[in-house]
């Protein structure tokens, strides 16, 4: 399959007329400025030259320059979140410099944003035939003022993503009812070979420039994105100063109960020295005791109280020329809990599990370290008009879980995962006649992922899994008559997994019940596709349709540790291929912005998690998941915006595998996969020195299952009762350098149980969420 894909790809490139691939030799320059309605510069605005493959950002003065633009007609597009995008057409002559000035009007529509994650190329969201949510720097700033926990930020801001668990992990926080892939600058953080649920909380928001969330099955970044992906894009150097910075110091805590005060400190430096630019950041946070609305200590099991969090980040770039750049990024994240409390079980449905003073068993729980290194080389004209981006990256991840009695002898487990990868991405503009333009993005991904799960006492729970994956891909994007954007692409997955020999955990004394399993090699080959179209002529109605597939080797480690056979060849290790169908639109009418999408995804062999005799197993059966999302924003006044969104998802499994999902034996998918409906609403006031952000989140109910004859619910099947939360962020700029901000989480001090605490259906996990918490921060910018 791989050789056939490569042959087709090479032939398709070779038969293209040469004039479609390479530019004229004549070049010109486009320079200009971007300002807002008050004649103030707009920094970090995205400048695109359509059909030219060029893209830059404005500096702190709102200025930009694009050199080596092909002679002839050119369309210059400017996009920046919060502003209406603009396009101006110019005529370029050889050796000429064209001056262009833009004056942007404020807007709330995300259609005006520019993204990179959906197609691994810079593109306008208004031209992307898929559902995307972008969390802008302003939103990150406001939401991190309320809570610096990144899982809370994305759980609130992303329609279709489950609400935060209020724990170290994100088990049950699925995207559109399926597992998601988390990335940092394109580096995979998820551990799909043994899904540990620690990938969302893998970086601190202080070093995130923006978050791009691609919703729906996608294979663009490889294994694991059945429901979509979250890409944390780290901060970039800004401005031309030699040195600038931001210092922040803050206090956190609950408003009820003692020992809750914590503190947080961060320092960032950035600047430019000749051809070098840099961003350096360090953050340390120590949380106090977390308490619920009644002042009781929240259970320390997988808790966030009494935790030390570190994040160190640096990004150094060197510009060889305006066309060539080398950039090195490193990020270190650590979050470890050292609690003076132990669990006291609650009574499910009646009273919460809490923490009481006592000595905890085992070692500190949490993510010991998460190292990410990314070396990136870019060349905007490697040959002809073709641009190149090449990345060499690695991730080193180690996390420790709380003590568990779910296996004989009890103990703590740990997941260790090491990834090394190479990505080569090329983009070639093309012109097919006078009415059709576009580009082709192509390249390959090479990944080695080694993941294992053992107990801290040395017992092997999941043996070392060594995956090697080579995946060539190609994506064709075309623009017909300036407004119809059509995309189609394919990716060939070629995976080989080597599994060591191992023994399953004993179920009794002296090794009783342990099974010796012969390891071996598993090979997976698949060709996955995507196609979509979007019509972008009218802002009043900007519709799209899409079809996309994802490929994933589902939680293989869970199958291996529950093995009852003597060789892996007898285990159910077939992969999951998800087909995602979607239709939606964006609409802008004056001060009102509306987006909506409906999706339907299927998989011939899904993975529904069950607990049988105390052992978690994966139930394989056909699945279908469907739902819809609606987002509405209204700019009432220049400084005041009101908005909100609604997201609904549901899923069923064909248990008898008869092709009919409505039979008597067919089932709804568990709530650890399917999240309740979620509603958010907000009011934002940004005027001069004062910023206010008041938001509300409602998580609905879900009650699809019945308990057994003993009145006990199976894993993921207990009923979920609705709850809602109010949050507030206030920021005031005292002077041009000093800013004071206050965030209040759970403003009304509501006593509630997060969805994960409810769907487990047992006494130990019936834990309340945070009571009212504050985050007071003083910042100094220079």
């Amino acid at each position: 399959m791989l050789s056939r894909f490569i042959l087709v790809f090479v032939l398709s490139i070779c038969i293209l007329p040469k004039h479609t691939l390479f530019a004229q030799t004549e070049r010109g320059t486009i320079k200009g400025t971007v300002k807002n309605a008050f004649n103030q510069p707009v920094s970090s605005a995205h400048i695109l030259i359509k059909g030219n493959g060029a893209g830059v950002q404005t500096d702190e003065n709102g200025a930009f320059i694009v050199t080596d633009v092909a002679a002839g007609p050119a369309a210059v597009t400017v996009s920046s979140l919060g502003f209406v995008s603009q396009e101006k057409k110019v005529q370029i002559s050889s050796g000429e410099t064209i001056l262009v000035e833009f004056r942007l009007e404020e807007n709330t529509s995300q259609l005006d944003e520019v993204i990179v994650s959906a197609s691994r190329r810079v593109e306008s969201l208004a031209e992307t035939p898929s559902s995307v949510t972008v969390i802008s720097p302003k939103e990150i700033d406001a939401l991190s003022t309320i809570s610096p926990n990144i899982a809370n930020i994305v759980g609130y801001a992303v329609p279709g993503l489950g609400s935060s668990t209020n724990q170290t992990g994100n088990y049950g926080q699925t995207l559109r009812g399926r597992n998601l892939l988390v990335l940092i600058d394109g580096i995979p953080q998820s551990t799909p070979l043994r899904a540990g649920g620690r990938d969302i909380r893998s970086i601190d928001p202080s070093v995130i420039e923006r978050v791009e969330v691609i919703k729906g099955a996608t294979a663009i970044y490889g294994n694991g994105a059945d429901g979509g992906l979250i890409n944390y894009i780290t901060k970039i150097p800004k401005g031309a100063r030699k040195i600038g910075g931001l210092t922040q110091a803050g206090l956190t805590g609950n408003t009820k109960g003692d020992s809750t005060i914590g503190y947080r400190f961060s320092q960032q430096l950035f600047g430019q020295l000749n051809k070098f630019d840099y961003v350096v950041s360090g953050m340390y946070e120590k949380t106090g005791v977390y308490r619920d609305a009644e002042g009781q200590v929240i259970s320390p099991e997988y808790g966030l109280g009494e935790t030390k969090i570190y994040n160190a980040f640096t990004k150094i770039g060197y510009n060889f020329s305006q066309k060539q750049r080398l950039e090195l990024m490193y990020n270190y994240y650590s979050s470890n809990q050292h609690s003076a409390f132990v669990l006291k079980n609650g009574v499910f449905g009646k009273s919460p599990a809490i923490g009481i003073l006592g000595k905890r068993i085992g070692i500190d729980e949490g993510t010991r370290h998460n190292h990410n290194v990314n070396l990136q080389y870019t060349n905007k004209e490697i040959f002809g008009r073709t641009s190149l981006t090449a990345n060499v990256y690695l991730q080193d991840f180690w996390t420790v879980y709380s003590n568990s009695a779910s296996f004989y002898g009890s103990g703590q487990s740990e997941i260790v995962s090491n990834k090394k990868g190479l990505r080569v991405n090329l983009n070639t503009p093309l012109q097919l006649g006078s009415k059709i333009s576009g580009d082709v993005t192509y390249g390959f991904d090479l990944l080695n992922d080694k993941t294992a799960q053992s107990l801290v006492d040395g017992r092997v729970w999941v043996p070392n899994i060594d995956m090697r994956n080579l995946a060539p891909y190609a994506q064709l994007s075309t623009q017909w008559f300036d407004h119809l954007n059509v995309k189609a692409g394919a990716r060939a997955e070629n995976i080989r997994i080597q599994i060591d020999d191992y023994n399953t955990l004993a179920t009794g004394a002296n090794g009783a019940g342990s099974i010796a399993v012969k390891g071996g090699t598993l090979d997976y080959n698949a060709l996955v596709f995507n196609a979509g179209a979007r019509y972008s002529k009218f802002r009043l109605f900007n519709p799209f349709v899409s079809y996309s597939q994802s490929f994933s080797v589902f939680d293989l480690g869970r199958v291996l540790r529950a093995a009852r056979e003597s060789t892996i060849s007898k285990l159910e290790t077939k992969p999951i291929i998800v087909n995602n169908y979607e239709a939606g639109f964006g609409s802008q009418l004056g001060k009102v912005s509306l987006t909506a999408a409906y999706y339907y995804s299927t998989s011939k062999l899904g993975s529904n998690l069950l607990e049988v005799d105390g052992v978690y197993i994966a139930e394989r059966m056909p699945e279908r998941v469907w739902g819809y999302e609606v987002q509405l924003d209204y700019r009432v006044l220049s400084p005041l915006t009101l908005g909100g969104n609604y997201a609904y998802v549901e899923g069923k499994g064909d248990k008898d595998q008869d092709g009919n999902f409505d039979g008597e034996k067919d089932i709804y998918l568990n709530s650890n996969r399917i999240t309740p409906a979620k509603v958010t609403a907000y009011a934002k006031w940004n005027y001069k020195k004062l910023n206010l952000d008041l938001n509300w989140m409602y998580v609905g109910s879900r009650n699809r299952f019945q308990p057994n004859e003993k009145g006990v619910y199976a894993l993921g099947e207990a009923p979920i009762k609705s709850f809602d939360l109010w949050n507030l962020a206030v920021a005031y700029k005292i002077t041009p350098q000093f800013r004071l901000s206050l965030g209040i989480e759970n403003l009304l001090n509501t006593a509630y149980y997060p969805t994960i605490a409810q769907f487990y259906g047992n006494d130990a996990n019936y834990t309340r969420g945070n009571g009212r918490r504050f985050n007071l921060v003083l910042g100094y910018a220079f």
Side-chain angles (χ1 to χ4, degrees):
M1 181 174 289
L2 173 62
S3 59
R4 185 165 64 250
F5 176 84
I6 294 176
L7 177 62
V8 171
F9 171 71
V10 171
L11 288 176
S12 66
I13 296 298
C14 292
I15 63 176
L16 285 173
K18 290 184 178 180
H19 71 271
T20 68
L21 297 178
F22 302 108
Q24 308 171 48
T25 57
E26 294 82 5
R27 294 285 191 269
T29 299
I30 299 176
K31 63 185 302 185
T33 58
V34 180
K35 297 182 178 181
N36 61 19
F38 303 102
N39 203 35
Q40 299 169 325
V42 178
S43 62
S44 301
H46 298 273
I47 312 298
L48 289 179
I49 312 298
K50 287 188 177 181
N52 194 76
V56 298
Q57 286 187 320
T58 56
D59 61 20
E60 59 185 355
N61 298 314
F64 68 90
I65 181 170
V66 183
T67 60
D68 293 326
V69 181
V76 186
T77 301
V78 178
S79 301
S80 183
L81 194 63
F83 295 94
V84 178
S85 61
Q86 284 189 20
E87 178 179 293
K88 292 187 177 182
K89 295 184 178 180
V90 297
Q91 184 72 30
I92 305 296
S93 300
S94 179
E96 182 183 11
T97 298
I98 298 293
L99 299 177
V100 184
E101 294 184 355
F102 291 91
R103 187 66 61 89
L104 301 184
E105 297 180 2
E106 291 191 4
N107 180 33
T108 59
S109 174
Q110 286 210 350
L111 290 174
D112 298 297
E113 184 56 291
V114 168
I115 61 171
V116 296
S117 299
S119 299
R120 294 169 67 157
R121 58 184 280 272
V122 178
E123 63 182 343
S124 169
L125 196 55
E127 301 169 354
T128 304
S130 58
S131 286
V132 180
T133 293
V134 179
I135 309 178
S136 70
K138 286 185 178 180
E139 289 178 291
I140 293 173
D141 180 64
L143 293 175
S144 62
T145 297
I146 296 170
S147 170
N149 179 3
I150 187 63
N152 289 356
I153 294 172
V154 296
Y156 169 80
V158 180
L161 181 67
S163 58
S164 174
T165 63
N166 198 44
Q167 296 182 350
T168 54
N170 48 271
Y171 176 64
Q173 198 173 2
T174 56
L175 181 59
R176 288 187 169 181
R178 297 187 183 273
N179 294 326
L180 65 152
L181 177 65
V182 179
L183 310 162
I184 296 176
D185 288 344
I187 303 173
Q189 306 301 300
S190 305
T191 55
L193 297 176
R194 172 67 274 270
R198 294 286 174 87
D199 42 359
I200 290 182
R201 284 189 76 250
S202 55
I203 190 173
D204 189 77
S206 63
V207 299
I208 299 175
E209 176 73 18
R210 53 197 273 112
V211 182
E212 295 181 1
V213 183
I214 313 303
K215 291 179 283 187
T218 177
I220 192 69
Y221 285 95
N223 181 31
D226 296 338
L229 62 89
I230 296 176
N231 194 5
Y232 299 132
I233 299 174
T234 59
K235 291 197 171 181
I236 58 175
K238 293 182 178 179
R241 292 178 293 173
K242 290 184 178 181
I243 185 169
L246 175 63
T247 305
Q248 290 184 316
L251 292 176
T252 62
N254 282 78
T255 59
K256 189 173 185 178
D258 58 16
S259 304
T260 69
I261 298 299
Y263 53 87
R264 178 182 171 91
F265 178 81
S266 67
Q267 177 64 63
Q268 290 187 7
L269 299 173
F270 50 84
Q272 180 176 334
L273 299 171
N274 298 322
K275 293 185 177 182
F276 284 95
D277 51 58
Y278 65 92
V279 180
V280 179
S281 176
M283 187 285 302
Y284 172 70
E285 179 180 4
K286 185 180 185 302
T287 65
V289 175
Y290 274 33
R291 295 181 180 270
D292 64 19
E294 294 182 357
Q296 297 189 88
V297 177
I298 294 175
S299 167
E301 298 296 300
Y302 302 110
L304 297 174
E306 301 169 284
T307 298
K308 294 181 180 180
I309 306 169
Y310 302 86
N311 200 103
F313 170 80
T314 184
K315 182 179 286 185
I316 302 173
Y318 181 77
N319 298 291
F320 296 97
S321 66
Q322 291 183 341
K323 298 179 184 178
Q324 298 186 67
R325 176 177 171 84
L326 186 66
E327 184 177 274
L328 175 66
M329 184 278 287
Y330 168 74
N331 191 78
Y332 165 80
Y333 178 81
S334 174
S335 174
N336 291 287
Q337 181 195 62
H338 184 77
S339 178
F341 295 85
V342 295
L343 167 68
K344 179 183 178 182
N345 282 346
V347 178
F348 179 73
K350 295 182 179 180
S351 61
I354 61 173
I356 60 174
L357 289 172
K359 183 175 177 55
R360 291 180 64 79
I361 300 175
I363 63 175
D364 289 349
E365 179 266 332
T367 296
R368 286 291 192 273
H369 64 244
N370 183 28
H371 298 281
N372 282 271
V373 180
N374 183 27
L375 180 63
Q376 176 175 288
Y377 170 74
T378 55
N379 191 322
K380 296 181 180 179
E381 196 171 318
I382 189 71
F383 60 84
R385 293 172 60 194
T386 296
S387 62
L388 165 70
T389 302
N391 299 77
V392 178
Y393 65 86
L394 64 86
Q395 187 221 16
D396 181 7
F397 175 79
W398 175 27
T399 192
V400 179
Y401 294 84
S402 294
N403 190 74
S404 173
S406 63
F407 44 82
Y408 176 75
S410 69
Q412 288 179 273
S413 70
E414 57 185 2
I415 291 179
V416 177
S417 180
N418 295 280
K419 301 183 184 71
K420 299 176 183 177
L422 168 66
R423 286 190 168 134
V424 176
N425 189 76
L426 298 109
N427 180 272
T428 301
L430 55 85
Q431 187 72 39
L432 300 172
S434 60
K435 298 297 183 180
I436 304 174
S437 62
D439 58 68
V440 58
T441 302
Y442 51 101
F444 67 87
D445 292 342
L446 183 62
L447 171 64
N448 178 212
D449 182 349
K450 296 180 180 179
T451 300
Q453 184 178 23
S454 61
L455 305 186
V456 296
D457 61 16
R459 287 178 287 169
V460 173
W461 202 6
V462 175
N464 186 60
I465 307 173
D466 188 344
M467 182 186 78
R468 298 177 186 273
N469 182 14
L470 173 63
Y473 61 87
Q475 177 87 20
L476 177 65
S477 300
T478 58
Q479 189 174 70
W480 299 58
F481 307 101
D482 293 333
H483 302 294
L484 178 61
N485 301 278
V486 180
K487 296 170 62 174
R491 179 184 173 98
E493 299 285 359
N494 299 271
I495 297 176
R496 168 159 289 194
I497 296 177
Q498 182 67 42
I499 301 172
D500 293 346
D501 298 342
Y502 70 104
N503 293 296
T504 62
L505 290 180
T507 57
N510 301 316
S514 177
I515 299 174
V517 182
K518 179 68 175 177
T521 301
L522 300 174
D523 290 307
Y524 301 95
N525 297 282
L527 186 60
V528 289
F529 300 91
N530 71 82
R534 187 159 201 156
Y535 190 68
S536 59
K537 182 176 183 179
F538 304 108
R539 295 187 65 83
L540 182 61
F541 186 61
N542 186 301
F544 73 88
V545 293
S546 72
Y547 167 75
S548 59
Q549 292 182 305
S550 69
F551 174 91
S552 67
V553 181
F554 77 104
D555 197 347
L556 186 60
R558 197 177 292 279
V559 174
L560 297 178
R561 74 186 195 185
R564 292 293 180 264
E565 304 287 348
S566 60
T567 175
I568 62 168
S569 61
K570 297 179 181 180
L571 303 179
E572 178 57 271
T573 59
K574 293 180 181 178
I576 297 174
I577 295 180
V578 175
N579 303 285
N580 186 76
Y581 308 85
E582 185 172 6
F585 69 90
S587 178
Q588 183 74 35
L589 178 60
K591 297 180 179 181
V592 178
S593 174
L594 172 68
T595 60
Y598 175 83
Y599 57 89
Y600 181 89
S601 70
T602 65
S603 52
K604 291 182 179 180
L605 198 61
S607 178
N608 195 42
L609 188 63
L610 301 178
E611 184 180 3
V612 179
D613 298 327
V615 177
Y616 293 133
I617 64 171
E619 183 181 28
R620 310 303 306 276
M621 60 182 170
E623 295 177 350
R624 67 177 183 182
V625 178
W626 66 94
Y628 56 91
E629 299 160 5
V630 180
Q631 170 87 36
L632 178 67
D633 289 278
Y634 173 49
R635 185 173 291 277
V636 182
L637 302 168
S638 179
L640 176 63
T641 300
L642 303 178
N645 56 64
Y646 176 81
Y648 171 85
V649 60
E650 189 54 272
K652 298 191 74 173
D654 184 10
K655 196 174 181 68
D656 53 16
Q657 302 194 30
D658 63 353
N660 177 16
F661 284 86
D662 295 319
E664 291 185 1
K665 295 183 178 181
D666 298 322
I667 61 171
Y668 282 98
L669 297 180
N670 296 349
S671 294
N672 49 12
R673 284 273 307 278
I674 305 300
T675 58
K678 186 178 71 174
V679 183
T680 66
Y682 43 83
K684 301 178 182 181
W685 176 274
N686 300 309
Y687 185 70
K688 294 184 178 180
K689 297 181 178 181
L690 180 64
N691 293 334
L692 295 174
D693 192 325
L694 176 66
N695 64 59
W696 172 74
M697 180 177 70
Y698 170 84
V699 177
S701 61
R702 189 171 192 255
N703 188 4
R704 294 289 192 185
F705 311 97
Q706 298 297 319
N708 62 19
E709 62 279 2
K710 296 180 180 180
V712 177
Y713 286 93
L715 172 68
E717 295 188 359
I720 297 174
K721 296 181 180 179
S722 64
F723 61 89
D724 66 303
L725 301 171
W726 289 87
N727 305 299
L728 175 67
V730 182
Y732 182 76
K733 185 170 283 189
I734 304 171
T735 70
Q737 288 77 35
F738 283 96
R739 191 178 81 149
L740 185 65
S741 59
L742 173 65
I744 301 179
E745 175 188 356
N746 193 358
L747 182 65
L748 302 183
N749 199 36
T750 301
Y752 74 99
Y753 293 87
T755 57
I756 187 173
Q758 299 188 61
F759 69 60
Y760 261 110
N762 61 40
D763 297 340
N765 291 286
Y766 196 56
T767 303
R768 279 187 181 146
N770 292 334
R772 185 191 297 115
R773 285 183 59 80
F774 68 88
N775 180 28
L776 180 65
V777 181
L778 178 64
Y780 173 70
F782 58 93

